[in-house]
DNA sequence: CTGAAAGCGCTTACAG
DNA sequence: CTGAAAGCGCTTACAG
């Protein structure tokens, strides 16, 4: 185990002070280019590594940002994580990853840890609608940006897809283009505003068309049990819809996990999609156009969401006093076979038909 | 922005020294329970938060571990990340997430960052077979554990699935149970030993059965371009197999992404699975039994891999001088319809048939 | 058991 | 521009 080098070692080697070493290695002004080069040369020669904790302690700010997501196993969030890590690396920042599992208790703990780390900013998918520990972050002066979900009050920068518009467009497609008069929904509302907004989209689509009914099934309290949030729970939810004497003729699934659960439930009930029940869902995944049948979805512009959110975070780091900004990006409707549309159902080239919900930005 | 509390504030409030505060809050021996309680009470009353950078600087070791994966968007690695984060949190450790994108240059940079952070350990999916920067980690005394892939030399704890056995079992199933005499493989070898081992499994399965041929297609150099590693690349690879005048009658896909690409290629070529071409792949995903057709796969025991690797890491943190250990966990063959087996092809309850490759542990 | 004090490796007013 | 020195908030030998 080799001894660790410090600025003192470099200073000695270069015949300078630690102050100059610091200025040179941090690319600060106040050193001649000649001195800076001498320092860099010594650092390179000696194999200097840096000590991020010392720097963080002294500067009262770590070269790191936090990423607090509700479920890193969900492809939507792992994609976000990939983009965020990429951008953070460009800024020289490390990424502290936390997974709440939708638990507000976990969220609270993790946000406190972020404060303890003195991260220079946090990107969070809030697990509750009340700001809670998020306000403490703000008090501590840590720039905070929310993704995917809003929180009560307008004090946070927020980036999300048009949950309402995507859901509404999907359900209107079922009603207008396929003549469905009874829609069922499967959702997990406890996770916050996103599902709530999606459900609102369903409701208003139905309300706008007299004669169309809506039957809602929500995971409710069950959602707290992490283990049951996957297949079994989501399949069970959809089955409750299919087992009704007056089962809906089309199902709206609130997210990617629920879509798979619903599809599984329909199979389980030995019914066919879309012949017996049509199915549409929020979120797309790389495999969804290869499912039997290919799934019609409202897809999120993940890359755009991720780049917008990191941009917003770093802008807030630079200008802490900007007003909070809420950005809503359009969802993209991808019509495939599960809604009853022709085309991609069997083999052959998949020709997706896509349209976008309207983009709205509130400054 | 409230001023930050320190041990000095607590000490003053409790009428004690910062030494006692430190001992009490770090659960160290050397304080009476009465003093400890007094400190905790003051900390609670004042709303003390802690400063992890100061602690890390002084202790020369951060309460954090590093997780360096090749592709956090791959469901396999995001699952690993979920488990690792969960365990780390139990130990009071933060998780520093890095994504290499299979780039050894990135890997080198990120491992250097881990050294700069003084993490107490690192879990890494190595992007190359040469130890490289991993050896520097070792020299720096940072416990390091590898997942999914091995590195030349035996100096690292390693946990992975039985790549060889899983692939071999899959291909033998194609040969013995479905009578295929010409197998094609699509792989991306540059990522290291895992794909190489899987390919070896295919080769030996074929070699063990005279009269059976193998045609290999590998991404090779192309794999460096991150953007093309997804759908387009993987679909293109499989198409090269299908476009041959003597196309194979069955395809082995080297991982989950390649499986989807292969399936897409077969669709593109307007062929049917398994009628025209059978398909088996390494890795399972929650959607794979809902694909058209349901995919026959060698599934990795992800939870077990993740818990084993974190266990190994924390054991090494506790006992730095243990000998390196290599653990190979069995893959689970899940027979579904894409190989030609009956059952789960159309609607109805999916009855997976599963078997395990043998478990082998080298102490 | 308890506390005074040194020190981890940086950064940054301050003086020259 | 350059350097001496203080100090960020902890932990830990050391003395009592």
């Amino acid at each position: 185990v080799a001894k660790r080098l410090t600025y003192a070692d470099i200073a000695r080697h270069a015949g300078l002070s630690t102050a100059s070493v610091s200025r040179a290695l941090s690319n600060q002004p106040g050193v001649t280019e000649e001195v800076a080069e001498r320092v860099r040369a010594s650092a390179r020669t000696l194999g200097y590594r840096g000590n991020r904790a010392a720097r963080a302690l002294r500067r009262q700010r770590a070269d790191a940002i936090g990423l607090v997501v509700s479920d890193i196993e969900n492809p939507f969030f792992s994609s976000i994580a990939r983009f965020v890590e990429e951008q953070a690396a460009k800024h020289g920042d490390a990424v502290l990853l936390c997974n709440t599992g939708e638990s507000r208790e976990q969220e609270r703990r993790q946000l406190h840890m972020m404060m303890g780390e003195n991260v220079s900013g946090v990107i969070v998918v809030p697990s509750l609608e009340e700001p809670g520990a998020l306000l403490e972050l703000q008090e501590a002066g840590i720039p905070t940006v929310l993704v995917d979900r809003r929180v009560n009050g307008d004090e946070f920068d927020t980036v999300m897809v048009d949950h309402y518009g995507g859901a509404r467009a999907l359900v209107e497609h079922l009603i207008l283009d396929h003549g469905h008069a009874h829609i069922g929904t499967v959702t997990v509302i406890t996770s916050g505003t996103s599902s709530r907004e999606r459900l609102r989209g369903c409701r208003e689509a139905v309300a706008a068309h007299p004669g169309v009914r809506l039957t809602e099934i929500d995971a409710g309290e069950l959602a707290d049990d992490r283990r049951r949030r996957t297949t079994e729970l989501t399949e069970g939810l959809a089955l409750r819809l299919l087992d009704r004497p007056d089962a809906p003729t089309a199902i709206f699934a609130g997210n990617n996990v629920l879509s798979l659960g619903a599809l599984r439930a329909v199979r389980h009930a030995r019914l066919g999609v879309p012949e017996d029940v049509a199915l549409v869902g929020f979120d797309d995944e790389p495999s969804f156009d290869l499912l039997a049948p290919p799934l019609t979805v409202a897809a999120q512009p993940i890359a755009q969401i991720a780049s917008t959110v990191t941009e917003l975070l770093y802008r807030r780091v630079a200008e802490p006093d900007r007003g909070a900004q809420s950005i809503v990006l359009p969802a993209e409707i991808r019509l495939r076979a599960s809604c009853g549309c022709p085309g991609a159902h069997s083999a052959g080239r998949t020709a997706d038909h896509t349209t976008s919900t309207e983009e709205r930005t509130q400054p």
Side-chain angles (χ1 to χ4, degrees), chain A residues 27 30 50 94 101 132 154-155 234 240 259 289-290 301 303 317 353:
Chain A
N27 296 313
D154 297 324
E155 47 251 303
T234 56
R240 278 162 60 189
S259 291
D289 65 318
L290 295 172
V317 168
H353 300 277

Side-chain angles (χ1 to χ4, degrees), chain A residues 256-274:
Chain A
N256 46 1
V257 179
L258 288 160
S259 291
L260 289 178
L263 188 49
R264 204 162 263 129
V266 180
R267 296 276 186 90
H268 194 155
R270 299 182 175 281
L271 298 172
V273 177

Side-chain angles (χ1 to χ4, degrees), chain A residues 5-7 10 21 25 42-51:
Chain A
L5 295 169
T6 71
Y7 279 5
I10 301 177
V21 173
L25 294 186
S42 295
R44 216 176 305 123
T45 306
L46 299 173
Y48 174 73
R49 286 284 170 240
N51 183 319

Side-chain angles (χ1 to χ4, degrees), chain A residues 23-163:
Chain A
R23 286 190 271 255
L25 294 186
S26 309
N27 296 313
Q28 280 175 16
V31 276
T32 58
E33 182 48 39
E34 186 261 326
V35 164
E37 187 43 55
R38 199 136 54 92
V39 169
R40 284 193 288 267
S42 295
R44 216 176 305 123
T45 306
L46 299 173
Y48 174 73
R49 286 284 170 240
N51 183 319
R52 297 168 71 101
R55 182 172 155 91
L57 172 59
R58 178 57 226 232
R59 299 184 61 218
Q60 305 276 62
R61 168 171 301 293
D63 290 324
I65 64 173
L67 176 62
V68 182
V69 301
S70 57
D71 180 12
I72 189 65
E73 285 191 87
N74 185 316
F76 173 64
F77 296 117
S78 64
S79 282
I80 298 278
R82 203 263 285 175
F83 285 105
V84 167
E85 196 273 347
E86 193 170 287
Q87 291 308 310
K90 280 185 189 156
H91 287 263
D93 283 336
V95 173
L96 289 168
L97 175 71
C98 287
N99 199 56
T100 64
E102 303 288 2
S103 151
R104 56 199 69 184
E105 183 49 40
Q106 283 293 343
E107 177 177 289
R108 209 179 52 80
R109 243 182 243 151
Q110 291 163 348
L111 292 180
H112 283 162
M113 190 194 73
M114 295 298 175
M115 295 170 64
E117 290 280 1
N118 267 306
V119 292
S120 52
V122 182
I123 292 173
V124 19
V125 179
S127 291
L128 22 47
E129 293 180 49
E130 292 309 318
L134 289 170
L135 292 176
E136 297 182 54
L137 274 184
Q138 254 191 175
E139 279 168 41
I142 298 177
T144 306
V145 180
L146 311 184
V147 212
D148 188 49
R149 306 173 187 174
R150 212 187 297 281
V151 127
N152 290 333
D154 297 324
E155 47 251 303
F156 296 97
D157 286 326
T158 307
V159 181
M160 53 182 163
V161 76
D162 182 3
H163 300 297

Side-chain angles (χ1 to χ4, degrees), chain A residues 284 288-289 294-295 297 332-337 342-344 349-355:
Chain A
D284 200 9
F288 280 10
D289 65 318
L295 237 51
V297 298
E332 187 185 288
I333 303 300
R334 296 184 179 157
L335 297 181
R336 296 197 278 237
R349 182 136 194 83
T350 302
D352 287 356
H353 300 277
T354 65
T355 57

